[in-house]
Amino acid sequence: MVRNGLFTKVMGQAWNKISKYRSKEIRILLLGLESVGKTTLLYRLKLGEPIKATPTIGFNVESFQYKDLSLNAWDLGFGGKMRPLCQHYYKGSNAVVIMIDRGDRERLEEVTYDVIKPALKSEDLKDAVFLFLANKSDIEDGMSLQEISDSLALNNLKRRWNIFTISALTGDGITEAFDWLALQLGSSQVKQTAEINKIQTEVTHFLPPQNHPETCERSYSALACFFIRPTQAVGIHKDDDNNDGDDEKIDDV
Ligand SMILES: Nc1nc2c(ncn2[C@@H]2O[C@H](COP(=O)(O)OP(=O)(O)OP(=O)(O)O)[C@@H](O)[C@H]2O)c(=O)[nH]1
Ligand SMILES: [Mg+2]
């Protein structure tokens, strides 16, 4: 009897610990230049519908559920005095969502130096997953994922990362992108769906060069990070052929 009681107590304590861990909020950071759509995305995720966003002074922070994960998302305004202060919000973040405006070619260099590099350099984000979002898929003549990845030299990243095209306004592509992120963050719900229905979780927006030997590896990239434990870059999109000249832009080691 005593042994049974002890067993029940130990199991109860273990279950409490597991439940506590599972219900712990996962902190994600939304980063990107002014007007890329961070606030629009935050409230699309929280409310499931578009809002009329105005430039953020300071930050917005919201907690919401994504599948079986409790997320705590920080949307940092990037204008004015806020830019140099962003790094003070890095600590404790499990994931970094970096948004890029597909229509804004001129500011890609600024994205590299003011958004990506500071995040990569920070010790606070050394274990974070990086999700890049090319926002505003609804606009015409925007940059392709290939163009953005090459310009930002994302293939050099030695982190877990992926890139998707989305529209924070219409909701297009958000589920694919956040399912990938949720999988990296340990969502058993997304994992189950992924295992049952692998095709649906492929990265459908990334268009690799034709006949490339890594095409197969890339097309399963959404699942790769789960099934294959990477030793270095989970950087799914390795493409040395298209990297010339851009390597120096991001020297993530
Ligand atoms: N066409 C289009 N417009 C978008 C999309 N997402 C956001 N916008 C618009 O882009 C503008 C800026 O959006 P915000 O969400 O305020 O951008 P932000 O990144 O939070 O900007 P800051 O707070 O200034 O850092 C707004 O007019 C949005 O309606 C999108 O997917 N497509
Ligand atoms: Mg904002």
Side-chain angles (χ1 to χ4, degrees):
M1 277 300 273
V2 175
R3 284 182 79 183
N4 265 352
L6 189 65
F7 178 76
T8 312
K9 193 177 164 191
V10 170
M11 287 305 287
Q13 283 171 350
W15 179 249
N16 280 346
K17 274 192 183 161
I18 292 168
S19 310
K20 209 169 160 188
Y21 177 76
R22 282 175 64 88
S23 63
K24 205 177 139 209
E25 282 192 332
I26 292 170
R27 179 178 162 116
I28 66 173
L29 270 186
L30 301 181
L31 300 177
L33 300 178
E34 304 94 322
S35 300
V36 291
K38 301 180 294 294
T39 305
T40 310
L41 175 66
L42 177 72
Y43 288 100
R44 149 101 25 213
L45 286 165
K46 176 150 175 112
L47 308 171
E49 54 190 52
I51 53 139
K52 198 163 164 38
T54 51
T56 305
I57 316 284
F59 61 87
N60 299 300
V61 59
E62 296 289 351
S63 292
F64 53 88
Q65 198 72 18
Y66 186 81
K67 305 281 169 83
D68 54 342
L69 299 183
S70 302
L71 300 182
N72 174 234
W74 290 72
D75 153 35
L76 308 182
F78 215 68
K81 293 179 182 154
M82 192 58 194
R83 193 173 292 208
L85 299 179
C86 284
Q87 56 189 294
H88 298 295
Y89 296 85
Y90 289 173
K91 207 174 177 66
S93 301
N94 306 95
V96 181
V97 177
I98 295 184
M99 293 183 75
I100 297 130
D101 186 333
R102 285 181 66 241
D104 200 355
R105 274 189 184 80
E106 287 70 37
R107 299 185 80 189
L108 279 183
E109 203 163 8
E110 205 177 331
V111 177
T112 300
Y113 287 100
D114 285 0
V115 183
I116 303 178
K117 280 202 165 194
L120 290 176
K121 273 187 193 154
S122 171
E123 268 293 297
D124 290 332
L125 297 177
K126 69 177 172 27
D127 297 321
V129 181
F130 280 69
L131 170 63
F132 294 86
L133 297 177
N135 191 34
K136 309 193 182 178
S137 65
D138 52 299
I139 60 169
E140 284 179 14
D141 301 326
M143 293 178 284
S144 67
L145 285 189
Q146 184 79 65
E147 187 178 350
I148 295 171
S149 302
D150 288 349
S151 300
L152 300 178
L154 296 183
N155 298 303
N156 291 352
L157 292 189
K158 294 180 174 62
R159 303 296 178 102
R160 276 190 287 169
W161 68 274
N162 208 337
I163 183 166
F164 294 81
T165 302
I166 65 151
S167 171
L169 209 55
T170 66
D172 177 46
I174 292 178
T175 303
E176 287 91 334
F178 274 78
D179 273 4
W180 178 84
L181 186 64
L183 204 55
Q184 310 311 308
L185 297 171
S187 164
S188 45
Q189 191 177 334
V190 177
K191 182 189 155 194
Q192 262 177 11
T193 320
E195 282 173 349
I196 294 165
N197 205 359
K198 290 176 187 172
I199 303 302
Q200 262 80 341
T201 58
E202 289 177 3
V203 178
T204 50
H205 298 291
F206 190 78
L207 298 174
Q210 294 301 306
N211 304 323
H212 192 286
E214 289 177 36
T215 299
C216 179
E217 182 190 343
R218 289 176 182 179
S219 64
Y220 283 93
S221 57
L223 290 168
C225 297
F226 180 74
F227 290 116
I228 305 164
R229 274 275 154 254
T231 48
Q232 43 155 336
V234 182
I236 302 156
H237 310 307
K238 284 199 231 152
D239 189 356
D240 299 337
D241 303 344
N242 289 316
N243 243 355
D244 39 326
D246 288 321
D247 295 21
E248 289 147 33
K249 287 195 176 167
I250 296 175
D251 46 2
D252 179 35
V253 284

